[in-house]
Amino acid sequence: MFGAEPGRVLSIQSHVVSGYVGNRAATFPLQTLGYDVDVVNTVQFSNHTGYGYTNGHKTTPEQLAAIFEGLATNGLITHSRVLTGYVPGAEALQVVGVQIEKMKKDNPDCIYVLDPVMGDVGTGLYVSPDVVPIYKDMLRLATVITPNQFEVELLSGVKIDSLATLNAALIQLHTEHSLPHIAFSSIPLPISIVSTLSLPAPPQQYDRLLPTPHPPWFNAVGVGAPDEDVLVCFASSFVDGQLDTWAFALPTIDGYFSGVGDLFSAMVLAHFHPAQTSPLPALPHAVSKALLAVQQILLRTHLYSLSHAGPSGTATPRPFHAAPESVIPTDAELDSAAPLNPKDPRRKARRMRIRELRVVQERALISQDGVGWPGQRLNWSALLT
Protein backbone atom coordinates (compact mmCIF):
# COMPACT_ATOMS: atom_id res chain seq x y z
CA MET A 1 0.00 0.00 0.00
CA PHE A 2 1.43 3.31 -1.07
CA GLY A 3 0.90 6.41 1.06
CA ALA A 4 -1.56 9.12 0.11
CA GLU A 5 -0.31 11.16 -2.84
CA PRO A 6 -0.96 14.92 -2.48
CA GLY A 7 -1.47 15.51 -6.19
CA ARG A 8 -3.62 12.47 -7.03
CA VAL A 9 -7.38 12.79 -7.61
CA LEU A 10 -10.02 10.08 -7.98
CA SER A 11 -12.90 11.35 -10.11
CA ILE A 12 -16.05 9.20 -10.12
CA GLN A 13 -18.72 10.43 -12.54
CA SER A 14 -20.14 10.11 -16.04
CA HIS A 15 -18.20 9.89 -19.30
CA VAL A 16 -19.21 10.90 -22.81
CA VAL A 17 -17.25 10.11 -25.94
CA SER A 18 -18.09 13.45 -27.53
CA GLY A 19 -18.54 16.60 -25.50
CA TYR A 20 -17.59 18.02 -22.11
CA VAL A 21 -19.66 16.90 -19.15
CA GLY A 22 -18.82 14.72 -16.15
CA ASN A 23 -15.30 13.34 -16.23
CA ARG A 24 -14.71 14.92 -19.63
CA ALA A 25 -15.35 18.35 -18.10
CA ALA A 26 -13.26 17.63 -15.00
CA THR A 27 -10.21 15.61 -16.04
CA PHE A 28 -8.43 17.94 -18.45
CA PRO A 29 -8.86 21.06 -16.27
CA LEU A 30 -7.53 19.19 -13.22
CA GLN A 31 -4.59 17.90 -15.25
CA THR A 32 -3.94 21.42 -16.52
CA LEU A 33 -3.56 22.49 -12.89
CA GLY A 34 -1.05 19.72 -12.22
CA TYR A 35 -3.21 16.99 -10.71
CA ASP A 36 -2.82 13.33 -11.62
CA VAL A 37 -6.39 12.19 -12.22
CA ASP A 38 -7.63 8.61 -11.97
CA VAL A 39 -11.06 8.22 -13.53
CA VAL A 40 -13.96 5.89 -12.79
CA ASN A 41 -16.74 6.26 -15.37
CA THR A 42 -20.23 5.63 -13.98
CA VAL A 43 -21.71 5.69 -17.48
CA GLN A 44 -20.25 5.65 -20.97
CA PHE A 45 -22.48 7.48 -23.42
CA SER A 46 -21.95 8.67 -26.96
CA ASN A 47 -22.80 12.24 -25.88
CA HIS A 48 -24.75 14.02 -23.15
CA THR A 49 -28.54 13.82 -23.10
CA GLY A 50 -29.00 17.43 -24.22
CA TYR A 51 -28.41 16.23 -27.76
CA GLY A 52 -31.75 14.45 -27.71
CA TYR A 53 -30.40 11.12 -28.95
CA THR A 54 -27.88 9.30 -26.74
CA ASN A 55 -26.57 5.75 -26.77
CA GLY A 56 -24.21 3.81 -24.56
CA HIS A 57 -24.37 2.02 -21.24
CA LYS A 58 -24.33 2.48 -17.50
CA THR A 59 -21.63 0.92 -15.37
CA THR A 60 -23.31 -1.70 -13.19
CA PRO A 61 -22.81 -1.82 -9.42
CA GLU A 62 -20.91 -5.10 -9.89
CA GLN A 63 -18.58 -3.52 -12.44
CA LEU A 64 -17.95 -0.53 -10.16
CA ALA A 65 -17.18 -2.85 -7.24
CA ALA A 66 -14.77 -4.84 -9.42
CA ILE A 67 -12.91 -1.68 -10.45
CA PHE A 68 -12.49 -0.59 -6.83
CA GLU A 69 -11.41 -4.11 -5.83
CA GLY A 70 -8.69 -4.11 -8.48
CA LEU A 71 -7.38 -0.75 -7.34
CA ALA A 72 -7.41 -1.82 -3.68
CA THR A 73 -5.71 -5.17 -4.33
CA ASN A 74 -2.84 -3.39 -6.07
CA GLY A 75 -2.57 -0.71 -3.38
CA LEU A 76 -3.54 1.99 -5.86
CA ILE A 77 -6.12 3.82 -3.77
CA THR A 78 -3.69 6.54 -2.72
CA HIS A 79 -5.78 9.57 -3.58
CA SER A 80 -5.67 12.65 -1.38
CA ARG A 81 -8.67 14.16 -3.18
CA VAL A 82 -11.92 12.62 -4.41
CA LEU A 83 -14.64 14.05 -6.64
CA THR A 84 -17.99 12.42 -7.30
CA GLY A 85 -20.66 13.52 -9.75
CA TYR A 86 -23.42 11.74 -11.64
CA VAL A 87 -24.00 8.16 -10.47
CA PRO A 88 -26.99 6.34 -12.01
CA GLY A 89 -29.08 4.43 -9.51
CA ALA A 90 -29.13 3.70 -5.81
CA GLU A 91 -27.16 0.44 -5.93
CA ALA A 92 -24.31 2.04 -7.86
CA LEU A 93 -24.31 5.03 -5.51
CA GLN A 94 -24.15 2.70 -2.51
CA VAL A 95 -21.03 1.06 -3.97
CA VAL A 96 -19.44 4.49 -4.39
CA GLY A 97 -20.45 5.52 -0.88
CA VAL A 98 -18.89 2.42 0.67
CA GLN A 99 -15.66 3.11 -1.21
CA ILE A 100 -15.53 6.75 -0.11
CA GLU A 101 -16.11 5.71 3.51
CA LYS A 102 -13.18 3.27 3.30
CA MET A 103 -10.95 5.99 1.83
CA LYS A 104 -11.92 8.45 4.56
CA LYS A 105 -11.25 5.83 7.24
CA ASP A 106 -7.79 5.11 5.82
CA ASN A 107 -7.01 8.80 5.29
CA PRO A 108 -9.18 11.16 7.38
CA ASP A 109 -7.47 14.12 5.68
CA CYS A 110 -8.74 13.05 2.26
CA ILE A 111 -10.60 15.97 0.67
CA TYR A 112 -13.93 14.84 -0.73
CA VAL A 113 -15.96 17.13 -2.99
CA LEU A 114 -19.45 15.73 -3.46
CA ASP A 115 -21.57 17.05 -6.31
CA PRO A 116 -25.01 15.56 -5.53
CA VAL A 117 -26.24 15.39 -9.12
CA MET A 118 -29.96 14.73 -8.83
CA GLY A 119 -31.90 17.37 -10.76
CA ASP A 120 -32.48 21.02 -11.47
CA VAL A 121 -35.10 23.72 -11.16
CA GLY A 122 -37.54 23.43 -14.05
CA THR A 123 -36.41 19.89 -14.82
CA GLY A 124 -37.03 18.24 -11.49
CA LEU A 125 -35.51 14.99 -10.34
CA TYR A 126 -33.71 13.15 -13.15
CA VAL A 127 -32.40 10.27 -11.07
CA SER A 128 -34.30 7.59 -9.20
CA PRO A 129 -35.87 8.94 -5.98
CA ASP A 130 -34.17 6.20 -3.95
CA VAL A 131 -30.78 7.90 -4.41
CA VAL A 132 -31.88 10.86 -2.26
CA PRO A 133 -31.52 9.17 1.16
CA ILE A 134 -28.17 7.73 0.11
CA TYR A 135 -26.87 11.18 -0.79
CA LYS A 136 -28.13 12.48 2.54
CA ASP A 137 -26.15 9.76 4.31
CA MET A 138 -23.03 10.52 2.23
CA LEU A 139 -23.06 14.20 3.30
CA ARG A 140 -21.29 13.18 6.52
CA LEU A 141 -18.31 12.02 4.45
CA ALA A 142 -17.98 15.19 2.39
CA THR A 143 -15.54 18.02 2.86
CA VAL A 144 -17.40 20.23 0.38
CA ILE A 145 -20.66 19.76 -1.47
CA THR A 146 -21.49 21.68 -4.67
CA PRO A 147 -25.29 21.50 -5.10
CA ASN A 148 -27.53 23.69 -7.23
CA GLN A 149 -30.73 25.27 -5.89
CA PHE A 150 -32.89 22.21 -6.56
CA GLU A 151 -30.42 19.94 -4.79
CA VAL A 152 -30.03 22.26 -1.79
CA GLU A 153 -33.81 22.28 -1.35
CA LEU A 154 -34.04 18.51 -1.81
CA LEU A 155 -31.28 17.73 0.71
CA SER A 156 -32.30 20.30 3.30
CA GLY A 157 -36.08 20.08 2.95
CA VAL A 158 -36.21 23.89 2.90
CA LYS A 159 -37.83 25.77 0.01
CA ILE A 160 -35.60 28.76 -0.74
CA ASP A 161 -37.64 31.87 -1.51
CA SER A 162 -35.80 34.48 0.56
CA LEU A 163 -32.51 35.21 2.25
CA ALA A 164 -34.01 33.91 5.49
CA THR A 165 -34.90 30.52 4.00
CA LEU A 166 -31.48 30.36 2.34
CA ASN A 167 -29.92 30.87 5.76
CA ALA A 168 -32.16 28.15 7.22
CA ALA A 169 -31.24 25.67 4.47
CA LEU A 170 -27.52 26.25 4.96
CA ILE A 171 -27.75 25.87 8.73
CA GLN A 172 -29.79 22.68 8.37
CA LEU A 173 -27.21 21.09 6.06
CA HIS A 174 -24.24 22.15 8.16
CA THR A 175 -25.63 21.06 11.51
CA GLU A 176 -27.68 17.96 10.77
CA HIS A 177 -25.01 16.36 8.61
CA SER A 178 -21.82 17.74 10.24
CA LEU A 179 -21.00 19.24 6.87
CA PRO A 180 -18.13 21.74 7.03
CA HIS A 181 -18.41 23.44 3.62
CA ILE A 182 -21.12 24.14 1.03
CA ALA A 183 -20.41 25.72 -2.36
CA PHE A 184 -23.97 26.54 -3.43
CA SER A 185 -23.25 26.78 -7.16
CA SER A 186 -26.02 29.19 -8.18
CA ILE A 187 -29.46 30.59 -7.46
CA PRO A 188 -31.21 33.23 -9.60
CA LEU A 189 -32.06 36.39 -7.65
CA PRO A 190 -33.45 39.74 -8.84
CA ILE A 191 -30.80 42.40 -9.35
CA SER A 192 -32.71 44.57 -6.86
CA ILE A 193 -32.04 42.03 -4.09
CA VAL A 194 -28.47 41.33 -5.14
CA SER A 195 -27.73 45.05 -5.12
CA THR A 196 -28.65 45.22 -1.40
CA LEU A 197 -25.90 42.69 -0.66
CA SER A 198 -23.23 45.08 -2.04
CA LEU A 199 -21.74 42.35 -4.18
CA PRO A 200 -18.96 43.32 -6.58
CA ALA A 201 -19.54 43.45 -10.33
CA PRO A 202 -17.69 41.05 -12.68
CA PRO A 203 -13.92 41.49 -12.61
CA GLN A 204 -11.84 43.21 -15.25
CA GLN A 205 -10.50 39.89 -16.52
CA TYR A 206 -14.06 38.96 -17.45
CA ASP A 207 -15.16 42.34 -18.77
CA ARG A 208 -12.32 42.46 -21.25
CA LEU A 209 -13.80 39.41 -23.01
CA LEU A 210 -17.23 41.03 -23.47
CA PRO A 211 -18.36 42.82 -26.64
CA THR A 212 -18.90 46.57 -26.27
CA PRO A 213 -21.60 47.74 -25.71
CA HIS A 214 -23.06 44.94 -23.61
CA PRO A 215 -25.15 42.61 -25.82
CA PRO A 216 -28.85 41.92 -25.11
CA TRP A 217 -28.22 38.37 -23.89
CA PHE A 218 -26.08 39.58 -20.98
CA ASN A 219 -27.28 40.63 -17.49
CA ALA A 220 -25.10 41.48 -14.51
CA VAL A 221 -25.07 43.68 -11.43
CA GLY A 222 -25.01 47.26 -12.66
CA VAL A 223 -26.11 46.28 -16.18
CA GLY A 224 -29.62 44.83 -16.19
CA ALA A 225 -32.97 46.20 -15.00
CA PRO A 226 -33.86 45.80 -11.28
CA ASP A 227 -36.41 43.07 -11.99
CA GLU A 228 -34.00 40.98 -14.07
CA ASP A 229 -32.19 38.04 -12.47
CA VAL A 230 -28.54 37.38 -11.97
CA LEU A 231 -27.09 34.21 -10.53
CA VAL A 232 -25.53 34.24 -7.09
CA CYS A 233 -23.07 31.64 -5.81
CA PHE A 234 -22.69 31.15 -2.05
CA ALA A 235 -19.67 29.71 -0.25
CA SER A 236 -20.76 28.68 3.24
CA SER A 237 -18.57 27.28 6.00
CA PHE A 238 -19.59 26.39 9.55
CA VAL A 239 -17.00 27.86 11.91
CA ASP A 240 -17.33 27.75 15.72
CA GLY A 241 -21.06 27.21 15.49
CA GLN A 242 -21.62 30.12 13.12
CA LEU A 243 -22.16 30.51 9.39
CA ASP A 244 -19.34 32.16 7.50
CA THR A 245 -20.95 32.86 4.13
CA TRP A 246 -19.53 34.62 1.10
CA ALA A 247 -21.60 35.59 -1.93
CA PHE A 248 -20.55 36.05 -5.55
CA ALA A 249 -22.75 37.76 -8.16
CA LEU A 250 -22.54 36.08 -11.56
CA PRO A 251 -23.67 37.29 -14.98
CA THR A 252 -26.67 35.69 -16.62
CA ILE A 253 -26.06 34.58 -20.20
CA ASP A 254 -29.06 33.68 -22.34
CA GLY A 255 -27.93 30.37 -23.78
CA TYR A 256 -27.94 26.60 -23.28
CA PHE A 257 -24.85 24.82 -21.97
CA SER A 258 -24.00 21.50 -20.32
CA GLY A 259 -21.18 20.56 -17.98
CA VAL A 260 -20.85 23.95 -16.27
CA GLY A 261 -21.56 22.48 -12.83
CA ASP A 262 -19.13 19.62 -13.44
CA LEU A 263 -16.37 22.06 -14.36
CA PHE A 264 -17.17 24.21 -11.32
CA SER A 265 -16.95 21.25 -8.92
CA ALA A 266 -13.61 20.18 -10.37
CA MET A 267 -12.20 23.69 -10.03
CA VAL A 268 -13.41 23.96 -6.42
CA LEU A 269 -11.64 20.69 -5.66
CA ALA A 270 -8.47 21.90 -7.37
CA HIS A 271 -8.27 25.17 -5.45
CA PHE A 272 -9.48 24.04 -2.02
CA HIS A 273 -6.67 24.04 0.56
CA PRO A 274 -8.03 23.48 4.10
CA ALA A 275 -5.25 25.29 5.94
CA GLN A 276 -5.56 28.47 3.90
CA THR A 277 -6.70 31.57 5.75
CA SER A 278 -5.36 34.47 3.66
CA PRO A 279 -6.23 36.47 1.62
CA LEU A 280 -9.52 34.53 1.82
CA PRO A 281 -10.54 31.51 3.89
CA ALA A 282 -10.22 28.14 2.19
CA LEU A 283 -13.70 27.76 0.70
CA PRO A 284 -14.31 31.30 -0.61
CA HIS A 285 -10.80 31.23 -2.08
CA ALA A 286 -11.54 27.98 -3.93
CA VAL A 287 -14.94 29.21 -5.13
CA SER A 288 -13.48 32.54 -6.23
CA LYS A 289 -10.79 30.88 -8.31
CA ALA A 290 -13.26 28.34 -9.71
CA LEU A 291 -15.76 31.00 -10.74
CA LEU A 292 -13.19 33.09 -12.57
CA ALA A 293 -12.18 30.15 -14.77
CA VAL A 294 -15.71 28.80 -15.27
CA GLN A 295 -17.35 32.14 -16.06
CA GLN A 296 -14.68 33.13 -18.57
CA ILE A 297 -14.83 29.76 -20.34
CA LEU A 298 -18.63 29.97 -20.40
CA LEU A 299 -18.51 33.44 -21.94
CA ARG A 300 -15.93 32.45 -24.54
CA THR A 301 -18.02 29.40 -25.41
CA HIS A 302 -21.12 31.53 -25.83
CA LEU A 303 -19.35 34.05 -28.04
CA TYR A 304 -17.99 31.22 -30.16
CA SER A 305 -21.47 29.66 -30.51
CA LEU A 306 -23.00 32.98 -31.54
CA SER A 307 -20.35 33.66 -34.13
CA HIS A 308 -20.60 30.20 -35.67
CA ALA A 309 -24.30 29.37 -35.49
CA GLY A 310 -26.61 30.30 -38.33
CA PRO A 311 -30.36 29.66 -38.19
CA SER A 312 -29.89 26.03 -39.14
CA GLY A 313 -27.00 25.38 -36.79
CA THR A 314 -24.40 25.59 -39.51
CA ALA A 315 -21.11 27.43 -39.23
CA THR A 316 -22.39 30.74 -40.52
CA PRO A 317 -20.92 33.83 -38.79
CA ARG A 318 -23.49 35.99 -37.05
CA PRO A 319 -23.13 39.34 -35.25
CA PHE A 320 -22.84 39.30 -31.44
CA HIS A 321 -25.43 42.06 -31.04
CA ALA A 322 -28.21 40.56 -33.13
CA ALA A 323 -31.43 39.68 -31.35
CA PRO A 324 -30.90 36.52 -29.24
CA GLU A 325 -33.59 34.53 -31.02
CA SER A 326 -31.84 35.06 -34.34
CA VAL A 327 -28.47 33.76 -33.19
CA ILE A 328 -29.24 31.08 -30.61
CA PRO A 329 -30.39 28.01 -32.57
CA THR A 330 -33.37 26.16 -31.14
CA ASP A 331 -35.64 23.31 -32.12
CA ALA A 332 -38.25 25.89 -33.17
CA GLU A 333 -36.21 26.81 -36.24
CA LEU A 334 -37.99 26.68 -39.56
CA ASP A 335 -37.75 23.20 -41.03
CA SER A 336 -37.12 24.70 -44.44
CA ALA A 337 -33.85 26.19 -43.15
CA ALA A 338 -32.45 22.83 -42.09
CA PRO A 339 -29.91 21.17 -44.40
CA LEU A 340 -30.98 17.82 -42.97
CA ASN A 341 -34.32 16.13 -42.41
CA PRO A 342 -35.93 17.84 -39.37
CA LYS A 343 -36.24 14.46 -37.63
CA ASP A 344 -32.60 13.57 -38.24
CA PRO A 345 -30.71 13.63 -34.87
CA ARG A 346 -27.72 15.16 -36.65
CA ARG A 347 -29.68 18.38 -37.07
CA LYS A 348 -29.78 19.09 -33.33
CA ALA A 349 -26.35 17.57 -32.75
CA ARG A 350 -24.82 20.01 -35.21
CA ARG A 351 -26.12 22.88 -33.09
CA MET A 352 -25.26 21.30 -29.74
CA ARG A 353 -21.69 20.63 -30.83
CA ILE A 354 -20.82 24.31 -31.08
CA ARG A 355 -22.09 24.89 -27.52
CA GLU A 356 -19.72 22.40 -25.91
CA LEU A 357 -17.54 24.04 -23.27
CA ARG A 358 -14.26 25.13 -24.82
CA VAL A 359 -12.08 23.83 -22.00
CA VAL A 360 -9.27 22.81 -24.34
CA GLN A 361 -9.25 25.88 -26.56
CA GLU A 362 -9.45 28.20 -23.53
CA ARG A 363 -7.05 26.23 -21.32
CA ALA A 364 -5.04 29.38 -20.56
CA LEU A 365 -8.06 30.62 -18.60
CA ILE A 366 -7.85 27.56 -16.34
CA SER A 367 -4.29 28.08 -15.20
CA GLN A 368 -4.19 31.88 -15.05
CA ASP A 369 -2.59 33.45 -12.00
CA GLY A 370 -3.91 36.32 -9.92
CA VAL A 371 -7.05 36.96 -7.93
CA GLY A 372 -10.32 35.20 -8.53
CA TRP A 373 -13.92 36.30 -8.91
CA PRO A 374 -14.70 39.04 -6.36
CA GLY A 375 -17.15 38.26 -3.57
CA GLN A 376 -18.41 39.65 -0.29
CA ARG A 377 -18.74 38.16 3.19
CA LEU A 378 -22.38 38.35 4.34
CA ASN A 379 -23.45 39.81 7.65
CA TRP A 380 -26.34 37.51 8.44
CA SER A 381 -27.29 39.38 11.59
CA ALA A 382 -27.86 42.57 9.62
CA LEU A 383 -29.57 40.82 6.70
CA LEU A 384 -32.09 38.94 8.83
CA THR A 385 -33.18 41.81 11.10
Side-chain angles (χ1 to χ4, degrees), residues 101-257:
E101 188 156 23
K102 289 179 181 178
M103 295 177 70
K104 294 286 287 187
K105 183 177 180 180
D106 292 339
N107 177 18
D109 294 329
C110 179
I111 296 170
Y112 173 32
V113 172
L114 165 60
D115 184 5
V117 180
M118 292 183 287
D120 207 345
V121 173
T123 304
L125 194 69
Y126 47 64
V127 296
S128 173
D130 54 4
V131 308
V132 179
I134 301 174
Y135 269 124
K136 288 183 177 180
D137 180 64
M138 290 176 64
L139 295 180
R140 62 188 170 83
L141 304 173
T143 311
V144 184
I145 64 170
T146 57
N148 59 30
Q149 179 184 353
F150 178 87
E151 292 152 355
V152 168
E153 294 178 343
L154 192 61
L155 292 171
S156 68
V158 178
K159 175 67 176 178
I160 300 173
D161 53 16
S162 65
L163 291 177
T165 51
L166 169 64
N167 176 271
L170 294 175
I171 290 177
Q172 195 278 341
L173 289 173
H174 281 302
T175 57
E176 183 171 331
H177 302 282
S178 300
L179 183 61
H181 304 287
I182 302 169
F184 185 170
S185 59
S186 65
I187 179 172
L189 294 173
I191 292 176
S192 57
I193 293 179
V194 177
S195 297
T196 66
L197 302 179
S198 301
L199 303 186
Q204 183 179 0
Q205 298 101 309
Y206 182 89
D207 279 340
R208 65 182 171 83
L209 303 178
L210 272 171
T212 302
H214 289 133
W217 43 259
F218 176 81
N219 287 328
V221 173
V223 175
D227 61 339
E228 292 179 329
D229 286 347
V230 292
L231 297 176
V232 181
C233 174
F234 293 93
S236 178
S237 299
F238 205 59
V239 181
D240 298 328
Q242 299 292 327
L243 284 185
D244 182 23
T245 308
W246 291 68
F248 305 81
L250 308 176
T252 300
I253 293 176
D254 185 12
Y256 176 86
F257 305 93

Side-chain angles (χ1 to χ4, degrees), residues 40-61:
V40 176
N41 296 323
T42 58
V43 305
Q44 175 145 316
F45 290 159
S46 55
N47 44 268
H48 66 73
T49 55
Y51 279 71
Y53 179 81
T54 301
N55 209 336
H57 64 266
K58 299 176 181 179
T59 308
T60 67

